[in-house]
Amino acid sequence: MERPKRGLYIGRFQPFHNGHLEAIKYVLEQVDELIIGIGSIQDSHGIKNPFTAGERHYMIQSALIEAGIPHEKFYIISIPDIDRNAVWLAHVRTLCPPFDIVYSNNQLVARLTKEYGETAQLATIPFFNRVSYSATVVRRRLLEGEKWEDLVPPAVTRIIKEINGLKRIRDIDASEGDLF
Ligand code: NAD
């Protein structure tokens, strides 16, 4: 039996924003099912990686359901970083259902897919409002008290408020300094 055509889209999602959501909608037009890999799951409570893997999973799943994307179309998988880039894609394969295409604009992910992807192809994603739909911009606005809510799906706004993310980011910045 032929299996569904499956894509992999990996990111840190710190936090999940409207550009990520548009990217997922775009990829879902190309494949039957999508694996959303939450990368760097070991990192949280830092200025560049403020949210835990569980919080990011909560954001992504809530935003996709809110956007009307059927649950059977996606898998959300947590992927810890490893020290050896050359075997990273093999490591990802051990954690995910089989996939045919890796969708990424990240240069390292692209290089590792080209060199070690075996049968998996690489595809890029169009950037959606790259200037504002950027996790760095969202984190900076959260920190500086600027309006950030229009850059993320409503579910993510609710979750950041629910987990008191604003206070966390400001507390981290006070202890780490401005490391953007
Ligand atoms: P990210 O959240 O910054 O971005 C995720 C994806 O969305 C990227 O392809 C990015 O280009 C795309 N994107 C961002 N804004 C967009 C927009 N406005 N419109 C369209 N697309 C947009 O995550 P990332 O840093 O790219 O995540 C890569 C992950 O892979 C990291 O967790 C990294 O640690 C992991 N990784 C690990 C290893 C290892 O462990 N050795 C090796 C390679 C990669």
Side-chain angles (χ1 to χ4, degrees), residues 16-92:
F16 187 78
H17 57 64
N18 289 336
H20 294 135
L21 180 58
E22 289 305 316
I24 286 172
K25 288 182 185 166
Y26 167 83
V27 176
L28 276 171
E29 287 171 8
Q30 328 282 320
V31 295
D32 302 311
E33 295 181 356
L34 179 61
I35 301 160
I36 300 157
I38 304 178
S40 307
I41 61 159
Q42 73 286 348
D43 290 333
S44 71
H45 294 80
I47 202 73
K48 287 189 173 168
N49 294 291
F51 303 111
T52 66
E55 288 162 349
R56 289 178 273 158
H57 191 129
Y58 184 24
M59 289 176 196
I60 296 166
Q61 181 164 309
S62 304
L64 298 196
I65 289 170
E66 178 180 73
I69 298 172
H71 209 149
E72 62 272 18
K73 300 291 274 183
F74 64 90
Y75 305 79
I76 302 175
I77 310 256
S78 294
I79 302 176
D81 288 341
I82 57 168
D83 273 342
R84 295 175 62 207
N85 281 334
V87 294
W88 177 71
L89 208 60
H91 159 72
V92 172

Coordinates of all heavy atoms in Angstrom, one line a residue, residues 16-92:
F16 N 6.1 30.3 18.5 CA 5.4 30.0 17.2 C 4.7 31.3 16.8 O 3.9 31.9 17.6 CB 4.4 28.9 17.5 CG 3.7 28.4 16.3 CD1 4.4 27.5 15.4 CD2 2.5 28.8 15.9 CE1 3.8 27.0 14.3 CE2 1.8 28.3 14.8 CZ 2.5 27.4 13.9
H17 N 4.9 31.8 15.6 CA 4.3 33.0 15.1 C 3.6 32.8 13.8 O 3.5 31.7 13.2 CB 5.4 34.1 15.0 CG 6.6 33.8 14.1 ND1 6.4 33.6 12.7 CD2 7.9 33.6 14.3 CE1 7.6 33.4 12.2 NE2 8.5 33.3 13.2
N18 N 3.0 33.9 13.3 CA 2.2 33.9 12.1 C 3.0 33.4 10.8 O 2.4 32.7 9.9 CB 1.6 35.2 11.7 CG 0.5 35.6 12.8 OD1 -0.1 34.8 13.4 ND2 0.3 36.9 12.9
G19 N 4.3 33.7 10.8 CA 5.1 33.2 9.6 C 5.2 31.7 9.7 O 5.1 31.0 8.6
H20 N 5.4 31.1 10.9 CA 5.4 29.6 11.0 C 4.0 29.0 10.5 O 4.0 28.0 9.9 CB 5.7 29.2 12.4 CG 7.0 29.6 13.0 ND1 7.2 30.2 14.2 CD2 8.3 29.5 12.4 CE1 8.5 30.4 14.4 NE2 9.2 30.0 13.4
L21 N 3.0 29.7 11.0 CA 1.6 29.2 10.7 C 1.4 29.2 9.1 O 0.9 28.2 8.5 CB 0.5 30.0 11.4 CG -0.9 29.5 11.1 CD1 -1.1 28.0 11.5 CD2 -1.9 30.4 11.9
E22 N 1.8 30.3 8.5 CA 1.6 30.4 7.0 C 2.5 29.4 6.3 O 2.1 28.8 5.3 CB 2.0 31.8 6.6 CG 1.0 32.9 6.9 CD -0.4 32.6 6.5 OE1 -0.6 32.1 5.3 OE2 -1.3 32.8 7.3
A23 N 3.7 29.1 6.9 CA 4.6 28.1 6.3 C 3.9 26.7 6.4 O 4.0 26.0 5.4 CB 5.9 28.1 7.0
I24 N 3.3 26.4 7.5 CA 2.7 25.1 7.6 C 1.5 25.0 6.7 O 1.3 24.0 6.0 CB 2.2 24.9 9.1 CG1 3.5 24.7 9.9 CG2 1.2 23.8 9.2 CD1 3.3 24.6 11.4
K25 N 0.7 26.1 6.5 CA -0.4 26.0 5.6 C 0.1 25.8 4.2 O -0.5 25.0 3.4 CB -1.2 27.3 5.6 CG -2.0 27.5 6.9 CD -2.8 28.8 6.8 CE -3.6 29.1 8.0 NZ -4.1 30.5 8.0
Y26 N 1.2 26.5 3.8 CA 1.8 26.3 2.5 C 2.3 24.9 2.3 O 2.0 24.3 1.3 CB 3.0 27.3 2.4 CG 3.9 27.0 1.2 CD1 3.5 27.5 -0.1 CD2 5.0 26.2 1.3 CE1 4.3 27.2 -1.2 CE2 5.8 26.0 0.2 CZ 5.5 26.5 -1.1 OH 6.3 26.2 -2.1
V27 N 3.0 24.3 3.3 CA 3.5 23.0 3.1 C 2.4 21.9 3.0 O 2.4 21.0 2.2 CB 4.5 22.6 4.2 CG1 5.0 21.2 4.1 CG2 5.7 23.5 4.2
L28 N 1.3 22.2 3.8 CA 0.2 21.2 3.7 C -0.5 21.2 2.4 O -1.3 20.3 2.1 CB -0.8 21.5 4.9 CG -0.4 20.9 6.2 CD1 -1.3 21.4 7.3 CD2 -0.4 19.3 6.1
E29 N -0.3 22.2 1.6 CA -0.8 22.2 0.2 C 0.0 21.3 -0.7 O -0.4 20.9 -1.8 CB -0.9 23.6 -0.4 CG -2.0 24.4 0.2 CD -1.8 25.9 -0.3 OE1 -1.0 26.2 -1.2 OE2 -2.6 26.7 0.3
Q30 N 1.3 21.0 -0.3 CA 2.2 20.2 -1.1 C 2.2 18.7 -0.7 O 2.7 17.9 -1.4 CB 3.6 20.7 -1.0 CG 3.8 22.2 -0.8 CD 3.6 23.0 -2.0 OE1 4.0 22.5 -3.1 NE2 2.9 24.1 -1.9
V31 N 1.9 18.4 0.6 CA 2.0 17.0 1.1 C 0.7 16.5 1.7 O -0.2 17.3 1.9 CB 3.1 16.9 2.2 CG1 4.5 17.2 1.6 CG2 2.8 17.8 3.3
D32 N 0.6 15.2 1.9 CA -0.6 14.7 2.6 C -0.6 14.9 4.1 O -1.6 15.2 4.7 CB -0.7 13.2 2.3 CG -0.8 12.9 0.8 OD1 -1.6 13.5 0.1 OD2 0.0 12.0 0.3
E33 N 0.6 14.8 4.7 CA 0.8 14.9 6.1 C 2.1 15.6 6.4 O 3.0 15.5 5.6 CB 0.9 13.5 6.8 CG -0.4 12.6 6.6 CD -0.2 11.3 7.3 OE1 0.9 11.0 7.8 OE2 -1.2 10.6 7.3
L34 N 2.1 16.3 7.5 CA 3.3 17.1 7.9 C 3.7 16.7 9.3 O 2.9 16.7 10.3 CB 2.9 18.6 7.9 CG 4.1 19.5 8.2 CD1 5.3 19.4 7.3 CD2 3.6 21.0 8.2
I35 N 5.0 16.5 9.4 CA 5.7 16.3 10.7 C 6.2 17.7 11.1 O 7.0 18.3 10.4 CB 6.8 15.3 10.7 CG1 6.3 13.9 10.2 CG2 7.5 15.2 12.0 CD1 7.4 13.0 9.6
I36 N 5.8 18.2 12.3 CA 6.4 19.4 12.8 C 7.3 19.1 13.9 O 6.9 18.5 14.9 CB 5.2 20.3 13.3 CG1 4.2 20.6 12.1 CG2 5.8 21.6 13.9 CD1 2.9 21.0 12.6
G37 N 8.6 19.3 13.6 CA 9.6 18.9 14.6 C 10.0 20.1 15.5 O 10.3 21.2 15.0
I38 N 9.8 19.9 16.8 CA 10.2 21.0 17.7 C 11.6 20.7 18.0 O 12.0 19.8 18.7 CB 9.4 21.0 19.0 CG1 7.9 21.2 18.6 CG2 9.8 22.1 19.9 CD1 7.0 21.1 19.9
G39 N 12.5 21.6 17.5 CA 14.0 21.4 17.7 C 14.4 22.0 19.0 O 13.7 22.8 19.7
S40 N 15.7 21.7 19.4 CA 16.3 22.3 20.6 C 15.4 22.1 21.8 O 15.2 23.1 22.6 CB 16.7 23.7 20.4 OG 17.5 23.9 19.2
I41 N 14.8 21.0 22.0 CA 13.9 20.8 23.1 C 14.5 20.9 24.5 O 13.9 21.2 25.5 CB 13.0 19.5 23.0 CG1 14.0 18.3 23.1 CG2 12.1 19.5 21.8 CD1 13.2 17.1 23.6
Q42 N 15.9 20.8 24.5 CA 16.6 20.9 25.8 C 16.7 22.3 26.3 O 17.0 22.6 27.4 CB 18.0 20.2 25.7 CG 19.0 21.0 24.9 CD 18.8 21.0 23.4 OE1 18.0 20.2 22.9 NE2 19.5 21.9 22.7
D43 N 16.4 23.3 25.4 CA 16.6 24.7 25.7 C 15.3 25.4 26.2 O 14.3 25.2 25.5 CB 17.2 25.5 24.5 CG 18.6 25.1 24.2 OD1 19.3 24.6 25.1 OD2 19.0 25.2 23.0
S44 N 15.4 26.1 27.3 CA 14.3 27.0 27.7 C 14.9 27.9 28.7 O 16.1 27.8 29.1 CB 13.2 26.1 28.4 OG 13.6 25.6 29.6
H45 N 14.1 28.9 29.1 CA 14.5 29.9 30.1 C 15.8 30.6 29.8 O 16.5 31.0 30.7 CB 14.6 29.2 31.5 CG 13.2 28.8 31.9 ND1 12.7 27.6 31.5 CD2 12.3 29.3 32.8 CE1 11.5 27.4 32.0 NE2 11.2 28.5 32.8
G46 N 16.1 30.8 28.4 CA 17.1 31.7 28.0 C 16.6 32.8 27.1 O 15.4 32.6 26.7
I47 N 17.3 33.8 26.9 CA 16.7 35.0 26.2 C 16.4 34.6 24.7 O 15.4 35.1 24.2 CB 17.6 36.2 26.3 CG1 16.8 37.5 26.1 CG2 18.8 36.2 25.4 CD1 15.9 37.9 27.2
K48 N 17.1 33.7 24.1 CA 16.8 33.3 22.7 C 15.9 32.1 22.7 O 15.3 31.8 21.7 CB 18.1 32.9 22.0 CG 18.9 34.2 21.6 CD 20.0 33.8 20.7 CE 20.7 35.1 20.2 NZ 22.0 34.9 19.6
N49 N 15.8 31.4 23.8 CA 14.9 30.2 23.9 C 14.2 30.2 25.2 O 14.4 29.4 26.1 CB 15.8 28.9 23.8 CG 16.5 28.8 22.5 OD1 15.9 28.5 21.5 ND2 17.8 29.0 22.5
P50 N 13.2 31.2 25.3 CA 12.5 31.3 26.6 C 11.5 30.2 26.9 O 11.3 30.0 28.1 CB 11.8 32.7 26.5 CG 11.7 32.9 25.0 CD 12.8 32.2 24.3
F51 N 11.0 29.5 25.9 CA 9.9 28.6 26.2 C 10.3 27.1 26.2 O 11.2 26.7 25.4 CB 8.7 28.9 25.2 CG 8.3 30.3 25.2 CD1 8.5 31.1 24.1 CD2 7.6 30.8 26.3 CE1 8.1 32.5 24.1 CE2 7.2 32.1 26.3 CZ 7.5 33.0 25.2
T52 N 9.6 26.4 27.0 CA 10.0 24.9 27.1 C 9.4 24.2 25.9 O 8.5 24.7 25.2 CB 9.3 24.3 28.4 OG1 7.9 24.3 28.2 CG2 9.8 25.0 29.7
A53 N 9.8 23.0 25.7 CA 9.3 22.1 24.6 C 7.8 21.9 24.8 O 7.0 22.0 23.8 CB 10.0 20.8 24.6
G54 N 7.4 21.7 26.0 CA 5.9 21.5 26.3 C 5.1 22.7 26.0 O 4.0 22.6 25.4
E55 N 5.6 23.9 26.3 CA 4.9 25.1 26.0 C 4.8 25.4 24.5 O 3.8 25.8 24.0 CB 5.6 26.3 26.7 CG 5.4 26.3 28.2 CD 6.4 27.2 29.0 OE1 7.4 27.7 28.4 OE2 6.2 27.4 30.2
R56 N 5.9 25.0 23.8 CA 5.9 25.2 22.4 C 4.9 24.2 21.7 O 4.2 24.6 20.8 CB 7.3 25.1 21.8 CG 8.2 26.3 22.2 CD 9.6 26.1 21.7 NE 10.5 25.4 22.6 CZ 11.6 24.7 22.3 NH1 12.0 24.7 21.1 NH2 12.3 24.1 23.2
H57 N 4.9 23.0 22.2 CA 3.9 22.0 21.7 C 2.5 22.5 21.9 O 1.7 22.5 21.0 CB 4.2 20.7 22.5 CG 3.4 19.5 21.9 ND1 4.1 18.3 21.6 CD2 2.2 19.4 21.5 CE1 3.2 17.5 21.1 NE2 2.0 18.1 21.0
Y58 N 2.2 23.1 23.1 CA 0.9 23.6 23.4 C 0.6 24.7 22.5 O -0.6 24.8 21.9 CB 1.0 24.1 24.9 CG -0.2 24.6 25.5 CD1 -1.5 24.3 25.1 CD2 -0.1 25.5 26.6 CE1 -2.6 24.8 25.8 CE2 -1.2 26.0 27.3 CZ -2.5 25.6 26.9 OH -3.5 26.1 27.6
M59 N 1.5 25.6 22.2 CA 1.3 26.8 21.3 C 0.9 26.3 19.8 O 0.0 26.7 19.2 CB 2.5 27.6 21.2 CG 2.9 28.5 22.4 SD 4.4 29.4 22.1 CE 4.8 29.8 23.8
I60 N 1.8 25.3 19.4 CA 1.6 24.9 18.0 C 0.3 24.1 17.8 O -0.5 24.4 16.9 CB 2.8 24.0 17.5 CG1 4.1 24.8 17.6 CG2 2.6 23.4 16.2 CD1 5.4 23.9 17.5
Q61 N 0.0 23.2 18.7 CA -1.2 22.4 18.6 C -2.4 23.3 18.7 O -3.4 23.2 17.9 CB -1.2 21.3 19.6 CG -2.5 20.5 19.5 CD -2.4 19.2 20.3 OE1 -1.4 18.4 20.1 NE2 -3.3 18.9 21.1
S62 N -2.4 24.2 19.6 CA -3.6 25.1 19.8 C -3.8 26.0 18.6 O -4.9 26.2 18.1 CB -3.4 26.0 21.1 OG -3.2 25.2 22.2
A63 N -2.7 26.5 18.0 CA -2.8 27.4 16.9 C -3.3 26.7 15.6 O -4.0 27.2 14.9 CB -1.4 28.1 16.6
L64 N -2.8 25.4 15.5 CA -3.3 24.7 14.3 C -4.7 24.3 14.4 O -5.5 24.4 13.4 CB -2.4 23.4 14.1 CG -0.9 23.7 13.8 CD1 -0.3 22.4 13.3 CD2 -0.6 24.8 12.9
I65 N -5.2 23.9 15.6 CA -6.6 23.6 15.8 C -7.4 24.9 15.6 O -8.4 24.8 14.9 CB -6.8 23.0 17.2 CG1 -6.2 21.6 17.1 CG2 -8.3 22.9 17.5 CD1 -6.1 20.9 18.5
E66 N -7.0 26.0 16.1 CA -7.7 27.2 15.9 C -7.8 27.6 14.5 O -8.8 28.2 14.0 CB -6.9 28.3 16.7 CG -7.4 29.7 16.6 CD -6.5 30.7 17.4 OE1 -5.4 30.9 17.0 OE2 -6.9 31.1 18.5
A67 N -6.7 27.3 13.7 CA -6.7 27.6 12.3 C -7.5 26.6 11.4 O -7.6 26.8 10.2 CB -5.3 27.7 11.7
G68 N -8.1 25.6 12.1 CA -9.0 24.7 11.4 C -8.2 23.6 10.6 O -8.7 22.9 9.7
I69 N -6.9 23.4 11.0 CA -6.1 22.3 10.4 C -6.5 21.0 11.0 O -6.3 20.9 12.3 CB -4.6 22.7 10.4 CG1 -4.4 24.0 9.7 CG2 -3.8 21.5 9.9 CD1 -3.0 24.5 9.8
P70 N -7.0 20.0 10.3 CA -7.4 18.8 10.9 C -6.2 18.0 11.6 O -5.1 18.0 11.0 CB -7.9 17.9 9.7 CG -8.1 18.9 8.6 CD -7.2 20.0 8.8
H71 N -6.5 17.5 12.8 CA -5.4 16.9 13.6 C -4.7 15.7 12.8 O -3.6 15.4 13.0 CB -6.0 16.4 14.9 CG -5.0 16.4 16.0 ND1 -5.2 16.7 17.3 CD2 -3.6 16.3 16.0 CE1 -4.1 16.7 18.0 NE2 -3.1 16.4 17.2
E72 N -5.5 15.0 12.0 CA -4.9 13.9 11.3 C -3.9 14.3 10.2 O -3.2 13.4 9.7 CB -6.0 12.9 10.7 CG -6.9 13.6 9.7 CD -8.1 14.2 10.3 OE1 -8.1 14.6 11.5 OE2 -9.1 14.5 9.5
K73 N -3.8 15.6 10.0 CA -2.8 16.1 9.0 C -1.4 16.3 9.5 O -0.5 16.5 8.8 CB -3.3 17.4 8.3 CG -4.6 17.3 7.6 CD -4.6 16.5 6.4 CE -4.1 17.2 5.2 NZ -4.2 16.4 4.0
F74 N -1.3 16.3 10.8 CA 0.0 16.7 11.4 C 0.4 15.9 12.6 O -0.4 15.4 13.3 CB 0.1 18.2 11.7 CG -0.8 18.7 12.8 CD1 -0.5 18.7 14.1 CD2 -2.1 19.1 12.5 CE1 -1.3 19.1 15.1 CE2 -3.0 19.6 13.4 CZ -2.6 19.6 14.8
Y75 N 1.7 15.7 12.8 CA 2.4 15.1 14.0 C 3.3 16.2 14.6 O 4.0 16.9 13.8 CB 3.3 13.9 13.6 CG 2.6 12.9 12.8 CD1 2.4 13.0 11.4 CD2 2.2 11.7 13.4 CE1 1.9 12.0 10.6 CE2 1.7 10.6 12.6 CZ 1.5 10.8 11.2 OH 0.9 9.8 10.5
I76 N 3.3 16.3 15.9 CA 4.2 17.3 16.5 C 5.2 16.4 17.3 O 4.8 15.6 18.2 CB 3.5 18.3 17.4 CG1 2.4 19.0 16.6 CG2 4.5 19.2 18.1 CD1 1.6 20.0 17.5
I77 N 6.5 16.5 17.0 CA 7.5 15.6 17.5 C 8.6 16.5 18.2 O 9.1 17.4 17.5 CB 8.1 14.7 16.5 CG1 7.0 14.0 15.6 CG2 9.1 13.7 17.1 CD1 6.7 12.6 15.9
S78 N 9.0 16.1 19.4 CA 10.1 16.8 20.1 C 11.4 16.2 19.7 O 11.6 15.0 19.8 CB 9.9 16.7 21.6 OG 8.7 17.4 21.9
I79 N 12.4 17.1 19.3 CA 13.7 16.6 18.8 C 14.8 17.3 19.6 O 15.0 18.6 19.4 CB 13.8 16.9 17.3 CG1 12.6 16.1 16.6 CG2 15.2 16.5 16.8 CD1 12.6 16.4 15.1
P80 N 15.5 16.6 20.4 CA 16.7 17.3 21.1 C 17.8 17.5 20.1 O 18.0 16.7 19.2 CB 17.1 16.3 22.2 CG 16.5 14.9 21.8 CD 15.3 15.2 20.8
D81 N 18.6 18.5 20.3 CA 19.8 18.7 19.5 C 20.8 17.6 19.9 O 20.8 17.1 21.1 CB 20.5 20.1 19.8 CG 19.6 21.2 19.2 OD1 18.8 21.0 18.3 OD2 19.8 22.4 19.7
I82 N 21.8 17.3 19.0 CA 22.9 16.4 19.3 C 24.2 17.1 18.9 O 24.2 18.0 18.1 CB 22.7 15.1 18.6 CG1 22.6 15.2 17.1 CG2 21.6 14.3 19.2 CD1 22.8 13.9 16.4
D83 N 25.3 16.6 19.4 CA 26.6 17.2 19.2 C 27.2 17.0 17.8 O 28.1 17.7 17.5 CB 27.6 16.7 20.3 CG 27.6 17.5 21.5 OD1 27.0 18.6 21.5 OD2 28.0 17.0 22.6
R84 N 26.7 16.0 17.1 CA 27.3 15.7 15.8 C 26.3 16.0 14.7 O 25.4 15.2 14.4 CB 27.7 14.2 15.8 CG 28.8 13.9 16.8 CD 29.1 12.4 16.9 NE 29.6 11.9 15.6 CZ 29.4 10.6 15.2 NH1 28.8 9.8 16.0 NH2 29.9 10.3 14.1
N85 N 26.6 17.1 14.0 CA 25.7 17.5 12.9 C 25.6 16.4 11.8 O 24.6 16.2 11.2 CB 26.3 18.8 12.2 CG 25.9 20.0 13.0 OD1 24.9 20.0 13.8 ND2 26.7 21.0 12.9
A86 N 26.7 15.7 11.6 CA 26.8 14.7 10.4 C 25.7 13.6 10.6 O 25.3 13.0 9.7 CB 28.2 14.2 10.3
V87 N 25.3 13.3 11.9 CA 24.4 12.2 12.1 C 23.0 12.8 12.6 O 22.1 12.0 12.9 CB 24.9 11.2 13.1 CG1 26.1 10.4 12.5 CG2 25.2 11.7 14.4
W88 N 22.9 14.1 12.5 CA 21.6 14.7 13.0 C 20.4 14.2 12.2 O 19.4 13.9 12.9 CB 21.7 16.2 12.9 CG 20.5 16.9 13.3 CD1 20.0 17.0 14.6 CD2 19.5 17.6 12.5 NE1 18.8 17.7 14.6 CE2 18.5 18.1 13.3 CE3 19.4 17.8 11.1 CZ2 17.4 18.8 12.8 CZ3 18.4 18.5 10.6 CH2 17.3 19.0 11.5
L89 N 20.5 14.1 10.9 CA 19.3 13.7 10.2 C 18.9 12.3 10.5 O 17.7 11.9 10.6 CB 19.4 14.0 8.7 CG 18.1 14.2 8.0 CD1 17.4 15.4 8.5 CD2 18.4 14.4 6.5
A90 N 19.9 11.4 10.7 CA 19.6 10.0 11.1 C 18.9 10.0 12.4 O 18.0 9.3 12.7 CB 20.9 9.2 11.1
H91 N 19.4 10.9 13.3 CA 18.8 11.0 14.7 C 17.3 11.5 14.5 O 16.4 10.9 15.2 CB 19.6 12.1 15.4 CG 19.0 12.7 16.6 ND1 18.8 12.1 17.8 CD2 18.6 14.0 16.8 CE1 18.3 13.0 18.6 NE2 18.2 14.2 18.0
V92 N 17.1 12.4 13.7 CA 15.7 12.9 13.4 C 14.8 11.8 12.9 O 13.7 11.6 13.4 CB 15.7 14.1 12.5 CG1 14.3 14.5 12.0 CG2 16.4 15.3 13.1

